[in-house]
Amino acid sequence: MAKLVAPAPRFNHEEWTRSNLTKYANAEVERQAAERLVDESKRLDDETRGRQDRTQADVKKKLQQRLDDIRFWKKELDDKLEGLTREIDSLLSFKNRVEK
């Protein structure tokens, strides 16, 4: 049973110091990489938000132009309909006078 659990390996001070410095250097490299990733993510987020804002402003502008066009043509059609209705009423009254 004693053979199954091996004791932890013993390191001398020089080996421990070298291992510790290596782990510290690796941790620093990983931290710098993480910071670069965070900075890149923030930059991409800002870029995407800017593009989204520009696209949304463009869509709003085009939609407003389309609404203005629709309102204009609705008014034109309403004016024509009103003119035609008056013309028909005028013609009907003229027809009634002629038939009498």
Side-chain angles (χ1 to χ4, degrees):
M1 186 76 164
K3 296 236 180 208
L4 293 176
V5 179
R10 298 273 179 171
F11 296 103
N12 62 29
H13 183 68
E14 182 182 324
E15 292 172 335
W16 181 87
T17 302
R18 190 176 334 114
S19 174
N20 193 34
L21 288 174
T22 303
K23 288 178 182 178
Y24 177 78
N26 288 339
E28 184 64 21
V29 168
E30 291 293 326
R31 185 190 63 77
Q32 290 173 352
E35 284 182 0
R36 283 193 303 273
L37 182 62
V38 167
D39 291 342
E40 178 72 10
S41 297
K42 286 179 182 177
R43 185 188 66 76
L44 288 173
D45 181 54
D46 292 342
E47 183 180 309
T48 302
R49 285 180 196 275
R51 190 177 321 128
Q52 175 190 1
D53 292 343
R54 287 189 302 274
T55 302
Q56 186 172 7
D58 186 45
V59 167
K60 280 184 176 181
K61 180 182 172 187
K62 288 178 181 178
L63 184 58
Q64 187 60 46
Q65 289 173 344
R66 184 71 175 139
L67 285 171
D68 292 343
D69 287 347
I70 289 170
R71 287 184 186 118
F72 171 78
W73 287 112
K74 183 182 182 309
K75 184 181 177 311
E76 289 290 316
L77 288 172
D78 288 343
D79 292 346
K80 284 288 182 186
L81 181 61
E82 184 181 334
L84 287 172
T85 303
R86 278 193 307 246
E87 178 96 16
I88 289 171
D89 290 344
S90 169
L91 288 172
L92 285 174
S93 68
F94 182 71
K95 177 184 167 192
N96 288 339
R97 274 189 276 149
V98 168
E99 286 178 349
K100 287 183 181 180

